[in-house]
Amino acid sequence: MESTIRRIQINTLHLLSNNDCLSEIDPQYMEIKQSFDANLLNKYLFPYELELKESLSTFWNNENFLLQPSFGLSLEQDRELTFNQFKKLMELATKHFGLIDLERNPKKIAVFTQGYRFQNPSVTTLMGVHFSLFGASIVFLGSEEQRKKYTEKVEKLEIIGCFSLTELGHGSNVQSIETIAEYDHDKEEFIINSPTITSQKYFIGGSAKNATHTIIMAQLKVSGKMEGVHAFVARIRNDDGSLVKGVDIRDCGVKMALNGVDNGRIMFKDLHIPRDQLLNRFGGVNKAGIYTSPINPANKRFANTIGALVLGRYIVSIGSVAFNSVGLTTAIRYSFSRKQFQGSDPKFEKQLISYSSHRKRLIPHLANTYATHFSNNYLLDLLSEKEKKEKEIHILASALKAYSSWSTRDCLQECREACGGQGFLSENLIGNFKSETEIYTTFEGDNILLYQQVAKFMLSESRKNPPTDYQQPSNEQKQRTDRNYIRSFDFLLEALNSRLNQTIQYVTEKLSDSVSEGSAIMDAWNDNGTYIVRLGVAYTEKTILDKFIAAVNNYPDENTRNALKLLVSLYVLNIIDRDNWFLKYQFISPQQSESISIQILELCKEIVPYSISLTDALGFDHQRLGPIAGDWISRNKF
């Protein structure tokens, strides 16, 4: 039996390197199986730019400054540390890629972002503002001449950028922002003004203290005519740090998290900028003072302007997977080593992971994390194509950003609670990361509105290709409660496909009925918003399943593939269990509903022995995480 304990300890990578917690050998101890190679699975999960990935891994293993946390610092200390870490991160980034790779090789950006090992997420946010918002605006909205003018300065931090879109009175409704940029033909300048209190740019990351320049999203006015929202590059600070004439900035103050990021609010009063600082890829003013654009009407031009910045939503989604990975790696490892209450034998306390309720809290989130990751990979492939499928990219990025950020909110909350008071300690990262990622649910687009965008796309597509009419499964099918049937990919695919098709038809009918009864189209849309969001979710979960199954079926090793198949089944059965649609529309019988609940618990139990390898494959070294991911007993010696 002693050899059994030693084997367990080796397999858990020394989760329990201190035997003081085992006064005797527990016959109910749950073993960990390593029947597949986590390193090979990691290479399958992250197959891009392997040389860059290896180089970054070596860097992080030998890095100390960028790994410093910001726990317990004052606001000014937090901001100073974050800014200095940001500068070092930019130095590292520009050794491997440039701004142009946002367009030409986004896989480099993805590998770099997935390689982050910070304990201070404010750094990644500041990097995102400067590089992926300010820099991306120049790459995707600027002309070739403007790219040449600004790109190197952004990369070398000769310019420190922020992104001024959100206003006090307008966030998601970008088309109605109030900031005005009026063209003065005589001076060949734009004059930018914030005409109302609600037009001030609000919550602008990096602006309160450090940014020298910003992208201003404003309503363009030329010869008295409003031409819609456009992007302008503007200097907001002089070399000595003083504010440029026409710019007033105030600090937003302390936030619930991400206090290393200096968020500010900005008012413009007759800010003059040259004509060539309008980013003019989709429209500009020529020397004759005439506005021209290759894209008309204005609504289509606006869609192209906002759509060009879609990469930020993808980055939120891969960031969500990374934060989930840290939480799950920590919480699952802790649940193997932490014991609580006696089992059938009163001499022994049980591991947390041996409780079905504890497994149910964590393992479904592991399935969701894998599912989301494979869809992120699919989206990255789309972003990397030379001939980009813009509509599919926009819809999938919106869907994944909404799905992943809510998933992370829920995942980290469960991980936090599952670790008890240890999850509340900053050094164990989960609680800290939970607070830091709260903003994910609203920046880069409010999730409710993103799901409505997804649903709008589905309704439009359904007019061209109507979905098949929903038909309940036969009575014979609904009598099947055996695990092979309930877990089968055919059943799982049919479940989510049926829900999607029926929901498309249902929402279409609801909107049609509202309009027939006299409602204006927008009123009909708003009145049915709850159903519309459900359609967005149904599309997202079905799409994620398609990519999940394709990735799992292509994995070469059978043992690993079988473990991944368990995750696929759990991912979908958990959806069916939570959504009353499947019972309401009689896709499943009450008996099948009961069987599904049982199968979820069984799947969680079957996945547990593989869970350490599955979390290891996500790429976070537990020895670089919080104490409870490793030898927490030795860590707490006096």
Side-chain angles (χ1 to χ4, degrees):
M1 291 291 281
E2 289 179 351
S3 63
T4 301
I5 290 295
R6 285 197 297 272
R7 187 174 69 252
I8 292 170
Q9 290 171 339
I10 292 171
N11 284 346
T12 60
L13 301 179
H14 306 292
L15 277 170
L16 292 173
S17 59
N18 187 324
N19 288 326
D20 290 345
C21 62
L22 288 176
S23 57
E24 296 184 65
I25 298 163
D26 182 357
Q28 296 178 331
Y29 200 94
M30 294 193 72
E31 291 199 43
I32 298 168
K33 294 181 181 178
Q34 290 189 317
S35 59
F36 62 84
D37 189 330
N39 290 327
L40 289 178
L41 178 54
N42 176 266
K43 291 177 181 177
Y44 186 75
L45 292 170
F46 304 95
Y48 310 108
E49 299 290 335
L50 296 180
E51 192 173 319
L52 172 59
K53 179 184 170 186
E54 185 62 30
S55 175
L56 291 171
S57 177
T58 301
F59 171 84
W60 286 109
N61 286 336
N62 294 282
E63 172 60 23
N64 291 312
F65 175 65
L66 283 176
L67 294 177
Q68 287 184 29
S70 58
F71 313 146
L73 298 180
S74 68
L75 180 64
E76 288 306 312
Q77 289 171 332
D78 194 350
R79 287 179 174 180
E80 182 180 5
L81 173 65
T82 298
F83 187 62
N84 288 331
Q85 288 176 326
F86 155 70
K87 288 190 290 186
K88 183 165 184 178
L89 184 64
M90 276 297 298
E91 182 183 332
L92 172 66
T94 52
K95 289 178 181 177
H96 299 287
F97 55 85
L99 270 178
I100 197 63
D101 286 310
L102 288 165
E103 180 179 62
R104 293 181 182 172
N105 191 359
K107 290 178 179 177
K108 284 187 176 181
I109 314 299
V111 169
F112 187 75
T113 304
Q114 289 164 337
Y116 288 163
R117 294 297 181 264
F118 295 106
Q119 294 189 23
N120 177 15
S122 290
V123 184
T124 67
T125 302
L126 208 55
M127 174 80 173
V129 169
H130 174 76
F131 195 91
S132 302
L133 285 175
F134 182 87
S137 297
I138 291 166
V139 170
F140 292 111
L141 302 180
S143 64
E144 284 299 321
E145 183 179 350
Q146 289 169 327
R147 288 183 179 187
K148 291 176 183 177
K149 179 179 179 180
Y150 293 111
T151 295
E152 187 174 348
K153 294 178 180 180
V154 173
E155 292 170 351
K156 291 183 176 180
L157 294 183
E158 294 172 11
I159 284 176
I160 297 172
C162 61
F163 186 74
S164 297
L165 187 154
T166 300
E167 296 180 351
L168 181 61
H170 292 88
S172 298
N173 186 12
V174 177
Q175 280 185 288
S176 295
I177 60 174
E178 299 176 82
T179 304
I180 294 176
E182 185 169 7
Y183 185 62
D184 184 333
H185 179 48
D186 293 335
K187 296 181 178 179
E188 290 195 56
E189 291 179 335
F190 295 101
I191 304 173
I192 299 179
N193 278 288
S194 307
T196 65
I197 293 175
T198 54
S199 69
Q200 66 183 279
K201 296 299 183 181
Y202 204 88
F203 225 71
I204 308 306
S207 68
K209 190 172 181 179
N210 294 311
T212 62
H213 290 68
T214 191
I215 299 293
I216 303 173
M217 303 299 288
Q219 303 283 358
L220 173 60
K221 186 176 182 180
V222 182
S223 301
K225 182 181 179 183
M226 304 303 290
E227 299 289 356
V229 175
H230 287 66
F232 302 81
V233 180
R235 185 170 190 128
I236 57 175
R237 280 189 174 85
N238 298 305
D239 290 339
D240 63 1
S242 62
L243 295 177
V244 169
K245 182 182 178 181
V247 176
D248 191 4
I249 301 178
R250 308 293 171 89
D251 200 316
C252 286
V254 178
K255 309 179 290 290
M256 69 176 284
L258 293 175
N259 282 300
V261 180
D262 52 312
N263 291 85
R265 51 194 184 97
I266 310 175
M267 290 285 285
F268 302 108
K269 176 65 175 176
D270 294 334
L271 173 64
H272 291 247
I273 62 173
R275 180 175 60 86
D276 64 0
Q277 288 181 210
L278 162 62
L279 296 178
N280 58 12
R281 181 177 181 180
F282 299 127
V285 178
N286 62 26
K287 289 186 176 181
I290 298 171
Y291 177 82
T292 60
S293 172
I295 302 172
N296 289 294
N299 282 347
K300 187 175 180 181
R301 188 163 60 242
F302 172 77
N304 277 268
T305 299
I306 297 301
L309 303 175
V310 75
L311 188 66
R313 291 176 182 170
Y314 165 74
I315 290 174
V316 169
S317 191
I318 62 174
S320 295
V321 167
F323 283 112
N324 282 9
S325 301
V326 171
L328 290 165
T329 299
T330 303
I332 290 174
R333 282 181 169 274
Y334 185 57
S335 69
F336 274 93
S337 59
R338 181 68 157 84
K339 293 188 169 188
Q340 193 83 292
F341 302 113
Q342 286 79 15
S344 57
D345 188 332
K347 292 187 297 182
F348 304 107
E349 287 189 291
K350 291 168 64 69
Q351 298 159 281
L352 294 180
I353 199 67
S354 68
Y355 290 95
S356 63
S357 57
H358 200 86
R359 296 192 294 264
K360 178 67 161 52
R361 300 183 80 168
L362 298 176
I363 303 303
H365 288 294
L366 181 59
N368 283 5
T369 299
Y370 265 79
T372 306
H373 176 78
F374 285 121
S375 282
N376 284 343
N377 280 2
Y378 176 76
L379 176 56
L380 181 57
D381 286 337
L382 292 179
L383 289 165
S384 302
E385 292 177 352
K386 288 185 178 180
E387 297 297 325
K388 292 181 172 53
K389 304 178 180 70
E390 300 290 354
K391 178 60 72 173
E392 184 178 4
I393 287 172
H394 176 73
I395 294 305
L396 187 55
S398 298
L400 289 177
K401 185 271 170 183
Y403 184 85
S404 65
S405 59
W406 272 346
S407 172
T408 294
R409 176 198 64 188
D410 297 341
C411 175
L412 293 182
Q413 181 65 29
E414 288 289 6
C415 289
R416 212 295 293 160
E417 293 183 28
C419 294
Q422 293 290 341
F424 199 67
L425 284 175
S426 292
E427 67 175 352
N428 287 319
L429 300 180
I430 299 172
N432 187 49
F433 283 2
K434 173 174 169 46
S435 297
E436 304 282 7
T437 56
E438 280 290 331
I439 196 66
Y440 277 23
T441 61
T442 50
F443 77 26
E444 293 291 347
D446 177 85
N447 289 348
I448 292 292
L449 293 179
L450 292 181
Y451 275 135
Q452 289 192 48
Q453 289 179 19
V454 173
K456 183 178 179 182
F457 168 77
M458 289 306 301
L459 293 170
S460 175
E461 290 297 300
S462 70
R463 288 195 290 271
K464 307 171 194 172
N465 300 294
T468 57
D469 291 336
Y470 169 63
Q471 291 185 336
Q472 296 177 22
S474 67
N475 289 332
E476 181 182 359
Q477 288 172 304
K478 285 193 283 186
Q479 289 173 5
R480 294 197 61 179
T481 58
D482 58 285
R483 57 180 281 163
N484 289 338
Y485 178 73
I486 293 297
R487 296 183 181 192
S488 69
F489 285 5
D490 287 342
F491 171 75
L492 304 176
L493 282 165
E494 185 59 30
L496 296 200
N497 200 50
S498 294
R499 182 184 61 163
L500 176 59
N501 287 338
Q502 191 276 337
T503 305
I504 291 172
Q505 293 175 326
Y506 180 81
V507 171
T508 300
E509 290 169 6
K510 292 288 287 184
L511 291 171
S512 178
D513 290 346
S514 294
V515 172
S516 297
E517 292 168 4
S519 294
I521 292 175
M522 278 305 300
D523 289 337
W525 184 268
N526 292 332
D527 291 343
N528 291 286
T530 299
Y531 310 115
I532 291 166
V533 170
R534 287 180 188 172
L535 173 56
V537 172
Y539 166 82
T540 302
E541 291 178 335
K542 170 59 168 58
T543 301
I544 288 174
L545 176 60
D546 288 341
K547 310 313 173 193
F548 199 2
I549 288 177
V552 169
N553 283 339
N554 285 331
Y555 195 82
D557 175 65
E558 184 178 3
N559 289 330
T560 310
R561 190 166 60 248
N562 289 338
L564 293 172
K565 284 182 177 180
L566 297 177
L567 292 179
V568 174
S569 296
L570 179 58
Y571 167 70
V572 184
L573 293 182
N574 204 45
I575 291 171
I576 297 172
D577 193 51
R578 292 195 324 263
D579 191 344
N580 69 355
W581 181 91
F582 297 95
L583 273 173
K584 180 179 179 181
Y585 290 97
Q586 300 180 52
F587 182 84
I588 58 174
S589 64
Q591 293 79 13
Q592 285 178 318
S593 178
E594 177 65 20
S595 177
I596 286 169
S597 297
I598 293 170
Q599 286 305 309
I600 289 172
L601 297 178
E602 288 298 313
L603 282 163
C604 288
K605 186 174 183 179
E606 290 173 37
I607 290 166
V608 162
Y610 307 103
S611 59
I612 295 297
S613 293
L614 288 167
T615 52
D616 283 352
L618 293 169
F620 287 83
D621 180 359
H622 72 279
Q623 296 178 7
R624 308 281 289 200
L625 301 181
I628 61 171
D631 184 4
W632 48 272
I633 294 175
S634 294
R635 175 66 173 78
N636 284 281
K637 282 183 177 180
F638 278 86

